Every structure is written in structure tokens, then in C-alpha cells.
Amino acid sequence: MSMNTMIKKGFCLVFAFCLPLPILALDLNDLRLNWYNELTGYPYDPEVIEIKNKITSLTSVGKKQWDAMIKDSGRSRLWNDLSYGSSADITESYDRLQSMALAYNLDGSDLYRNEQLKSDILSALEWMYMNQYNESTNDSGQNWWDYKIGAPLRLNNVIVLMYDNMPPDLRNKYLLPVFHFCPDVGHYTGANLAWIATVIAVRGIISGNETDVIYARNSLNPLFDYVTQGDGFYEDGSFIQHERHPYTGGYGTSLLATLTDLMILYHGSSIDFSEENRNVVSEWIWRAFEPLVFRGGMMSMVRGREIARSATTDHKRGRSLVQILMRLRYLLPEESSLRIASLVKDWLISDKTFSDYYAYMNSIRAIKETKALIENTDIPVREVYEVYRQFPCMDRAVQHRPTYAVGISMYSSRIYNYENTNRENIRGWHNADGAVYLYTPDQNHYEGNFWVTVNPYRISGTTVAENSTAKAKTLSEKSWVGGVGISGKYGCSGMFYESKDPVVSAKKSWFMFDDELVALGAGITNKSQVNVCTYIDQRKLVSDNRNVFTVDGVKQNALFGSDTAPLNLTGVTWAHLSGKYSGMEVGYYFPESVDLKAIRQQQTGSWRDINEGGSTAVQKDYYLTLWKEHGNCSDDTDSDENRYSYVLIPSCTTSQLKNYCSDPDIKILSNTSSVQAVMEKTLGIVGANFWNNSTSQYVAVDGVPFLYCDKKASVMVREGKNEIEVSVSDPTMLNTDEIMIRLVSLAAGSIIRKDERVTVLSYEPLVLSFNVKDLSGRGLNAVFQKKELSSVERIQTDTVSFDLKYVSEKGDINLSVYSPKEQKALFRVTDMNGRLFVERELSLVSGMENYYLPSKFFSSGCYLLSLILSDRVISKKFIR
């Protein structure tokens, strides 16, 4: 009687999604059964319609491979399409044999326990050992991954599935190449380490080698440590693989999947994973994975060269993550488990790219757990997800709003631009050049053939030389790349972009608020006599090209322009692109009317264009491309050619966009190569990117200085009715000192909360110091009760003001002075009886400047600080 027959007859009551029974001692046979059940999905009821359909599907795959297999005794290959000229054919052969072995083992399959199938699987294993994969195989000139990871992982699984049909000496013989190519975990890191550890663990279970099983478990310990360089997870949620490539949605997801397999394998054994390990994995979910998934789709900007694989789309990768989390959650504490369940349920329900909840589920276990989760009405979907996250250690930023999400993809002196290993992602030239990924309810935008048909020279958000390419695995010479968030929901990012060939430079900033993204560019120059363009958007349209594109109220034609002769649009203030359905629209607002170029056309390409192993079949999609030309400006004269500004407003109707443009929520405060700043009036937020170290740089609101910053920094200030919130980061990661922020028109009362590294230098006006040393770009935050200014008036542009930054124990004074012009002044410190302690003459500069005044010690007490000008005296009390 089969296991599933027993379940159907009531002899065994087991939750469909339960964990394997605890193994109190290290019983290798029980571990093998754990692995076998993970592969097959046992226990299950094959009469449940969703499971029955999956069994049929898996059987069909196995039968297809079996039917196509060459079975002649004198065969020179197993399948006609595999010549074994590439090591990938070895991995593929074992993958097909695994499909056949799975069909053989599935109760409910037409091939269940089929004797001829069993014979052909065993015969094929022998052929592979004799001809392609043995301890004498020469792997020279081939891909190491196939020999050490791809082939042995699948071979181990086939042996586990066919274990009872193979004598021990045969099993051990087929494992000889696994021992040969994987003697230990070597120097590998990240996902590669997890994969090789899995190879060794399962090999040890099959061969009865307990030492291997324990060694594999212990070799995984480094994966649970947050790294500060190289491969692995970072505390800010970044994940890096291949030294400097962002890969959360590729290798990061594979690492999580493999660790989940092993955590289930070792569950309850004497070498089970610790509670601390489990807590770290739980942190990864919220820090690293959740922010990078929108409605079930993993964002392209963290999938690396996987975007060039036709079989792996954003939503398919997201569905893989769903399956991982549904298994992982049972290993975590109840609170985390329930939170994951709500998250996964939300992704399943909101993902409209699949025909049903069970599509692209790769196992029966996933089908069982999905069905149980969807039918469990006690588990709610996740609440509306609103978040801004900066990933400084991988040069990415993301914001989620109720109806859309935005991703910013950058690179720097720390992170590579793109990867094209194995000739995949051949045209990823500009995918991290400040690319903007806008996700709307049109979930098909980045799906299908997007990466085949999109024009790789014109990636949305980038400012690049026209028709230029870039060498892969390249670092920028610029370190200013990063940003900061505020209130957990809003943020600003910036990138000092510079390409080497041709030489193009630009200061690029993005400000993400409640319903808009403001994009600013300044200092745009080139030294190579080429035309530079900023690509505002390259939007894939509905398959029947039904989208309506309107510019300043004028509906445009369904097709217009070409690559060599784009349409000229002059004096544009706004544009609107409708979607397939309501909520899928995109609005474009230009605070300064601008001349644009535009093309609306059908674009073609093939997967072979971006992946040497891809299909040559021609794919077609319609696109709208909108851009601004900057021409050939070798110098920054702060002219229109040196800058741009635009606002993306997703999910808005034409009338809503027109209303917004007539009274915009945002105001650009500065857009120069020194400072880029924006105010969101309805939120009371000012965001600013300071590109230089200077004590005289500031942001003014309505001509009045508002925010001073003395170092390179990304800054956000929120002025609420009763609160003041300030966030600061050092995007360069090079500052070994502090960043001083001076809010000259704001005063604070008590501290509500602040990071320890934030020091209050003055409450009235509010002056703060942020110690950013060794923070790797992470932001610091402080929140205060708001107070009306009393003893210090709000500064006007023509008014001199000063603040005492600090007085040392010796009595030395550090003074900050703002002056609208160069002039002489006298600074004095007296006690309340008029006795003079300090007197220094100052040569004031135009703007903000710090002055260090050596002085003699003066004791504690109340003093009067006076700045004496030719026409006035400014005084303040100071208590020492």
C-alpha cells in the first residue's frame, strides 16, 4: 500500500505542509527520506484537483524527455539536441533524468513505478558515467559550475529518487565524479557556497558518510554573517555576488532557496540550525527581499544577467521566491511565520501575470502549501505596503506606493555597472547608469520580451551619449552615489555619473514623494564631441498599441517618428500616456517647458541579441520613447543644455495631471552642479543632494536660506505641524568626520527620538551634527518637537547671523557665521557684567563659513556673544 493510499484511507493524518519529523540523532536514512519527500512532495492526496494537475504536468515533462531519449545500445549521445560539446549539456542531461525519475516516483502518475522507465533511467546513468561525467573527466576549457554544482546537484537527486533500485556499489560508483569535483567547499561564497555544501551533504547522505554531512552543515556558518565587502548579505539589505554585482533577485534568491532546503533537511537533527541562524534569515526577508518585489514580481535591477534568459522573467522569479517562503516560514517563530504568510498571500493575489495561483509552481509541495494558504481565511493579506529603502552597498533605491513602485539602478566606484558573463546580458550597457524602473499596475511591462525589444541605447532615466555602449564589469571613478529616506516612506537618491568612453558627466538626483518622482540633472557635460541625451521614458505599450499619448492637450498619432527622424516636440509642459486599464497611466510634468524628441514605433529583437544561447526568433513590441537632447556641451555654464527637470506622476488621469500642473505639489529649489533640491509642499518635505564640501552651500526657500550643509551629503527635512524630522547620509562613504546641518528658520524643543550618532549643537535655530564615519552610506535620523523661533529671528538673505558650534574645554571657540557679502566684523565674549574674555577680528566671506578662534579658558557661567558690524550689533546669550 502506497503512502498516499494510506492517507486516503485514513491511516495517516498529516498536515499537507508539515515539516519532517524531528531527527533527534543524526540518522542518515531519515535525512535521505527528508530529501526524498522534498523532491516528491510526499505526503499528498493525488485526487486533489490542483495536485492531480501538477502530477499530470510533471509526468508530461518526464515522458517527453523519456520519449526523446535515444535508447539504442550503441548510442553516442542520450538526446539528439545534446552534443556534449559544452559542459552545460552534462547538467541538462541530469536535469532531464531527474524529470524522468520524478515521474517514476509520483503516486498518481501514469509512469508511477514503470519498469521500463526505471530500466532506461539506470541505463542512462551508466552511459553518463562511462562517457561524460566520471572521476577522469577533463573539465578544461568548460564552465566549472556544471562540474561542481549543476551536474552533481541533479545527479544526487536522481540517485535519491532511484535509491531503492540501485545497489550500494552502483550508487557509490556514480558518486565518484562528485567526490572528484567537490572534495570540499573550497573558496566559494554566497549562493555558490550553499550549492556546493548541498552537493556534499546529499552525497554524504547517499554514501553513508556522516563526516560529509556534518562538514557540509558547518561550512554554511559564514553565510549567516553580514558582510562588509564581497559576496553575501549586507546589513542594509544589499546582496552581492561575483564581487560587486547586485544580485538579490538572482543568486540571492538561489541562496535563500538552497538554505531553505538544507534547513528542512537538517530540521530536528543534532546539527540543526540555531535560533540565531533562523533569526538572521528572517531579517533577510524584510530587509533584502520584500522591498524588491512589486505585486509578485522581482525587480529586474537586482536580477543581473538573468534578465537575458527567456525562461526567467521578473514574475517567474517572484513566484520562485513565493515557493521558498511558503516552505521557510514553518521553520521560523510563529510571529515571523504569520507575517510571511500574509506577505506571500498578498503577492499571490496581486500577481495578475499568471492564469491562477498555482501556475509556475515547480513542485507538489508548493501546490499543497499554496492551496492551504489561499483557503485559510484566518490569514489576512499584507497591509498596503508603503516604504522607501536605500541599498547603499549595492547602489540601488526603491520606493513603494499604494499603486506603483520605483526602482533606481546606479553604479559607482564600489559597484560594477553590469555583468555579461557567459555572453548573457550582452547589451546591459546602461541598465545601471541611473536607470529608472517604474512599476505600475500594468504588470506585463517588464515581462515577456521587454529586454529583447527595448532599445538598449535609450534606457529610461539615463543621461548618456547617443548610441553609446559600455564595457561590462566596470567601476566608476565617482563615489557620490546613494541617498537617504525619511519617515520610512519618502527619499532622495543621487548619482555622480561619469562614463569613460565617451567621457560624459552628470549630477543626477531623484526625489520620491507621495505620488510623484522628481528627476533633476545638472552639470551635464562631455569631452568627446558627442550628442548627450536624457531618456525620460521608454515605455512598452499595450500589444495592440491602443495607448493614447497626449502632449499639452493635443492627442498624438498612433505611430510617429523613427530612430533616425524622431518627432520634435517644442515647449512641452506636460504629457500623458494612457494604459490598458485605469490606474496604468503615466503623467509627465516639466516644471520648465522643454523641447523634446519622441518616437512611437514597433521595435524588434531576438533573445540571441542579448544572450548567445538564446533563440533567433524575432520578437515585436510597441514603445513610446521620450527624451531631451543636451547636445555637445564641453563646459558647465549652468545653461538649459547642462540640465533637465521632469516629474513622473504614475496612475493619474489626464484631468488629474492638468490640475497638478496648474498647481504642482513640488517646487524645485535648486538644480545646479553644486546642489539639487526639491520641496514637496503638501508633505512639508525638502530633499537636497549636496555635491561638494563647502561651508557656504545652502538651500533657500522663497529666497530665504533654509538649510545649510557643510559636506557632501544627501539630506531630507520634514517640517510637520508639531515635529521636525531630519535624515542625513554620506553617499560617498568616504567622510571620516561629521556632517553639520543648520536649519536656520527652524527651532526644536525636546528630542522625540534620534540615532546615537546625531548630536544637537543648537536647538534654536536647529543645528545638528551627524557622525557618518564607517556607516557605509547608511542614513541617520532625528525627530524633534517643533518650537517657534523666539530669541533668533528667521534669517533673511540680507541679514548676518551666527551660531556657536561648540566651545572646547580649553575655551577655544568654533563659530558659524552667515553673511550676504564680504565684510569685516568683531566678535566678542563678555560676561553679564561687561568683562571682556574674547575679542577677535573676522573677515566674513559671502555665504556660510566656520571660524576657529583660539582662546583662553573661561569658567562656567552666563556670557554674552556679540558680532559687531559696521551698522549693527548681533548678540546672544551663552551658558557655559
Side-chain angles (χ1 to χ4, degrees):
M1 182 182 296
S2 74
M3 182 184 302
N4 286 293
T5 303
M6 293 176 65
I7 293 173
K8 285 182 282 185
K9 291 194 174 184
F11 290 99
C12 180
L13 297 175
V14 184
F15 285 113
F17 45 82
C18 70
L19 290 168
L21 294 174
I23 305 164
L24 300 180
L26 193 60
D27 187 315
L28 298 187
N29 189 57
D30 284 344
L31 290 178
R32 178 176 59 81
L33 291 176
N34 275 358
W35 198 254
Y36 177 86
N37 289 340
E38 282 302 301
L39 293 172
T40 59
Y42 284 130
Y44 61 79
D45 182 351
E47 296 305 319
V48 173
I49 187 62
E50 293 84 1
I51 294 175
K52 187 174 185 178
N53 290 341
K54 189 61 184 178
I55 292 172
T56 299
S57 174
L58 292 171
T59 300
S60 175
V61 173
K63 187 176 187 305
K64 177 182 177 182
Q65 305 301 350
W66 185 28
D67 289 344
M69 179 191 285
I70 301 170
K71 304 175 182 67
D72 299 341
S73 58
R75 59 193 169 188
S76 59
R77 60 182 68 182
L78 290 180
W79 284 274
N80 281 322
D81 61 333
L82 301 181
S83 65
Y84 301 100
S86 165
S87 59
D89 289 350
I90 298 175
T91 298
E92 177 63 21
S93 293
Y94 285 122
D95 192 72
R96 294 178 183 185
L97 289 175
Q98 181 175 324
S99 297
M100 293 162 59
L102 184 59
Y104 173 80
N105 279 275
L106 292 179
D107 186 7
S109 165
D110 293 341
L111 299 177
Y112 182 62
R113 298 292 189 258
N114 184 293
E115 286 297 317
Q116 187 58 52
L117 175 58
K118 177 184 75 175
S119 176
D120 287 344
I121 293 172
L122 297 178
S123 173
L125 285 173
E126 179 67 16
W127 188 92
M128 286 295 297
Y129 175 78
M130 296 300 298
N131 295 278
Q132 295 299 331
Y133 192 62
N134 56 59
E135 62 275 23
S136 300
T137 298
N138 181 5
D139 62 345
S140 177
Q142 295 290 341
N143 189 342
W144 68 269
W145 188 90
D146 291 303
Y147 295 97
K148 291 180 177 292
I149 295 175
L153 278 174
R154 291 156 177 79
L155 172 57
N156 281 348
N157 289 344
V158 175
I159 296 175
V160 168
L161 289 168
M162 305 303 294
Y163 187 90
D164 292 332
N165 300 289
M166 303 167 65
D169 59 334
L170 199 58
R171 296 195 297 263
N172 291 333
K173 182 176 78 167
Y174 296 154
L175 287 176
L176 289 176
V178 183
F179 279 98
H180 172 69
F181 287 107
C182 305
D184 52 46
V185 297
H187 63 281
Y188 296 102
T189 57
N192 290 328
L193 170 58
W195 278 324
I196 293 181
T198 304
V199 168
I200 294 173
V202 179
R203 179 188 73 194
I205 291 169
I206 295 169
S207 62
N209 187 334
E210 185 175 298
T211 301
D212 262 2
V213 179
I214 296 172
Y215 167 78
R217 163 61 189 88
N218 292 336
S219 70
L220 297 167
N221 288 333
L223 295 178
F224 299 98
D225 296 329
Y226 287 112
V227 300
T228 56
Q229 60 181 0
D231 294 354
F233 285 98
Y234 291 69
E235 283 194 88
D236 68 2
S238 299
F239 180 84
I240 296 295
Q241 190 78 32
H242 295 170
E243 300 177 0
R244 298 175 186 269
H245 290 291
Y247 253 120
T248 312
Y251 286 98
T253 305
S254 296
L255 169 57
L256 185 66
T258 306
L259 271 182
T260 299
D261 291 340
L262 293 171
M263 290 171 74
I264 292 174
L265 174 66
Y266 288 117
H267 174 68
S269 73
S270 58
I271 54 173
D272 196 357
F273 291 86
S274 68
E275 182 179 355
E276 182 180 359
N277 293 155
R278 298 173 197 274
N279 289 337
V280 169
V281 174
S282 183
E283 288 176 356
W284 294 347
I285 297 168
W286 315 119
R287 291 184 186 181
F289 290 99
E290 184 182 24
L292 295 169
V293 176
F294 178 70
R295 300 193 178 184
M298 175 64 72
M299 293 185 174
S300 295
M301 66 180 183
V302 291
R303 291 181 50 225
R305 70 181 195 274
E306 280 193 5
I307 62 172
R309 300 173 186 172
S310 60
T312 310
T313 66
D314 287 2
H315 282 267
K316 287 180 179 178
R317 203 49 163 154
R319 186 55 60 95
S320 296
L321 180 59
V322 162
Q323 296 175 76
I324 297 165
L325 296 184
M326 283 195 294
R327 297 166 59 230
L328 175 62
R329 78 182 188 92
Y330 297 107
L331 298 165
L332 302 177
E334 182 178 6
E335 183 178 353
S336 293
S337 179
L338 291 174
R339 185 179 173 190
I340 292 171
S342 290
L343 170 65
V344 168
K345 196 170 195 177
D346 180 42
W347 287 348
L348 283 168
I349 292 173
S350 64
D351 193 334
K352 306 302 182 182
T353 63
F354 297 104
S355 57
D356 56 53
Y357 301 134
Y358 309 102
Y360 204 70
M361 294 289 180
N362 61 16
S363 70
I364 290 173
R365 183 172 297 280
I367 297 291
K368 291 191 305 181
E369 292 166 0
T370 299
K371 183 175 176 61
L373 178 62
I374 292 298
E375 294 178 353
N376 187 341
T377 56
D378 291 332
I379 297 178
V381 298
R382 177 186 61 170
E383 294 181 357
V384 175
Y385 189 55
E386 299 180 70
V387 72
Y388 177 86
R389 285 294 306 277
Q390 198 81 38
F391 296 95
C393 290
M394 64 178 184
D395 291 346
R396 300 292 190 268
V398 66
Q399 184 194 36
H400 286 258
R401 300 300 299 152
T403 61
Y404 69 90
V406 176
I408 309 294
S409 178
M410 304 166 283
Y411 77 104
S412 65
S413 58
R414 305 172 298 270
I415 295 297
Y416 289 137
N417 55 345
Y418 73 102
E419 184 183 44
N420 65 357
T421 303
N422 299 332
R423 300 298 292 162
E424 296 179 308
N425 196 28
I426 298 169
R427 296 182 178 180
W429 308 311
H430 303 301
N431 292 351
D433 288 3
V436 175
Y437 295 79
L438 176 60
Y439 293 84
T440 72
D442 180 6
Q443 298 175 23
N444 287 309
H445 184 267
Y446 295 102
E447 291 293 288
N449 300 304
F450 175 84
W451 290 108
V452 169
T453 55
V454 71
N455 187 328
Y457 300 103
R458 296 171 173 165
I459 298 299
S460 300
T462 63
T463 300
V464 295
E466 194 170 31
N467 297 323
S468 63
T469 63
K471 183 180 178 182
K473 202 176 179 180
T474 296
L475 293 176
S476 168
E477 294 182 356
K478 304 302 180 182
S479 61
W480 205 123
V481 175
V484 74
I486 199 164
S487 301
K489 297 180 180 181
Y490 318 110
C492 62
S493 288
M495 177 188 191
F496 192 162
Y497 169 77
E498 184 175 81
S499 64
K500 297 179 180 179
D501 184 20
V503 179
V504 175
S505 297
K507 306 283 183 63
K508 298 173 67 66
S509 292
W510 301 269
F511 302 87
M512 286 152 273
F513 299 118
D514 55 344
D515 52 16
E516 69 265 281
L517 177 147
V518 183
L520 300 183
I524 301 170
T525 61
N526 79 82
K527 305 295 184 182
S528 302
Q529 301 297 309
V530 294
N531 185 31
V532 175
C533 302
T534 292
Y535 295 99
I536 296 161
D537 207 355
Q538 184 182 178
R539 202 102 200 124
K540 190 175 79 171
L541 306 178
V542 180
S543 58
D544 61 4
N545 193 33
R546 77 175 71 168
N547 309 68
V548 176
F549 182 55
T550 306
V551 178
D552 287 333
V554 179
K555 180 180 175 181
Q556 304 297 306
N557 294 333
L559 294 172
F560 54 76
S562 67
D563 289 326
T564 56
L567 176 68
N568 293 311
L569 299 170
T570 58
V572 178
T573 300
W574 64 267
H576 183 271
L577 180 66
S578 72
K580 184 175 182 179
Y581 302 112
S582 176
M584 298 180 180
E585 310 92 343
V586 181
Y588 309 88
Y589 165 54
F590 301 93
E592 297 178 317
S593 61
V594 63
D595 294 343
L596 300 174
K597 303 285 187 179
I599 298 173
R600 181 168 181 167
Q601 64 182 359
Q602 189 177 66
Q603 298 176 183
T604 62
S606 74
W607 286 98
R608 180 67 59 85
D609 294 337
I610 63 173
N611 184 337
E612 282 194 350
S615 167
T616 58
V618 175
Q619 309 297 334
K620 301 177 181 179
D621 286 305
Y622 288 100
Y623 283 84
L624 170 71
T625 308
L626 199 61
W627 74 94
K628 174 182 177 177
E629 285 192 346
H630 300 283
N632 175 25
C633 298
S634 59
D635 298 310
D636 180 16
T637 60
D638 196 26
S639 66
D640 181 66
E641 286 75 21
N642 297 123
R643 63 178 182 262
Y644 65 82
S645 61
Y646 61 90
V647 184
L648 297 182
I649 308 172
S651 304
C652 70
T653 64
T654 305
S655 60
Q656 288 171 334
L657 177 61
K658 290 169 68 177
N659 290 336
Y660 184 96
C661 296
S662 64
D663 184 18
D665 293 345
I666 63 97
K667 182 176 183 178
I668 297 174
L669 304 179
S670 178
N671 187 18
T672 70
S673 57
S674 298
V675 183
Q676 290 174 312
V678 176
M679 170 182 278
E680 216 292 353
K681 296 179 289 186
T682 60
L683 297 175
I685 293 177
V686 170
N689 286 331
F690 294 89
W691 297 100
N692 302 314
N693 293 326
S694 172
T695 57
S696 62
Q697 59 188 3
Y698 66 91
V699 172
V701 177
D702 295 328
V704 179
F706 173 76
L707 165 64
Y708 288 87
C709 176
D710 67 346
K711 300 287 194 314
K712 297 176 181 179
S714 190
V715 182
M716 295 201 84
V717 179
R718 178 180 61 84
E719 182 182 358
K721 182 178 180 181
N722 301 308
E723 289 184 355
I724 299 170
E725 182 179 4
V726 185
S727 294
V728 175
S729 76
D730 167 31
T732 72
M733 303 191 192
L734 299 176
N735 192 332
T736 59
D737 197 357
E738 298 180 340
I739 297 172
M740 196 271 283
I741 299 298
R742 185 169 179 261
L743 295 164
V744 295
S745 59
L746 295 178
S750 61
I751 298 171
I752 297 176
R753 63 181 181 275
K754 74 176 183 68
D755 291 321
E756 290 183 0
R757 285 169 168 256
V758 181
T759 301
V760 181
L761 301 178
S762 168
Y763 284 91
E764 194 174 341
L766 185 57
V767 182
L768 304 171
S769 176
F770 294 79
N771 181 0
V772 295
K773 181 181 179 181
D774 299 328
L775 281 183
S776 299
R778 181 171 65 86
L780 296 174
N781 179 266
V783 182
F784 303 88
Q785 283 189 340
K786 185 179 176 182
K787 179 183 177 182
E788 288 300 319
L789 285 171
S790 55
S791 62
V792 180
E793 295 182 358
R794 292 178 180 264
I795 288 183
Q796 303 299 316
T797 55
D798 60 349
T799 302
V800 175
S801 68
F802 75 90
D803 278 312
L804 185 66
K805 292 184 68 176
Y806 65 83
V807 177
S808 71
E809 292 183 5
K810 294 180 180 180
D812 296 338
I813 296 171
N814 195 308
L815 193 67
S816 176
V817 182
Y818 171 78
S819 174
K821 63 181 180 180
E822 294 182 359
Q823 58 184 309
K824 297 291 185 180
L826 192 66
F827 178 74
R828 287 177 177 171
V829 178
T830 62
D831 66 13
M832 303 311 291
N833 295 318
R835 286 186 300 173
L836 181 66
F837 286 85
V838 179
E839 184 174 80
R840 294 286 186 274
E841 184 175 307
L842 303 179
S843 295
L844 304 183
V845 301
S846 176
M848 188 79 170
E849 186 62 273
N850 290 335
Y851 299 89
Y852 176 71
L853 309 178
S855 178
K856 295 183 293 184
F857 173 79
F858 51 98
S859 60
S860 59
C862 186
Y863 295 88
L864 188 67
L865 311 180
S866 299
L867 190 66
I868 303 170
L869 305 167
S870 61
D871 59 347
R872 84 197 81 164
V873 176
I874 304 172
S875 298
K876 294 183 182 182
K877 287 182 180 180
F878 165 62
I879 298 177
R880 177 172 169 80

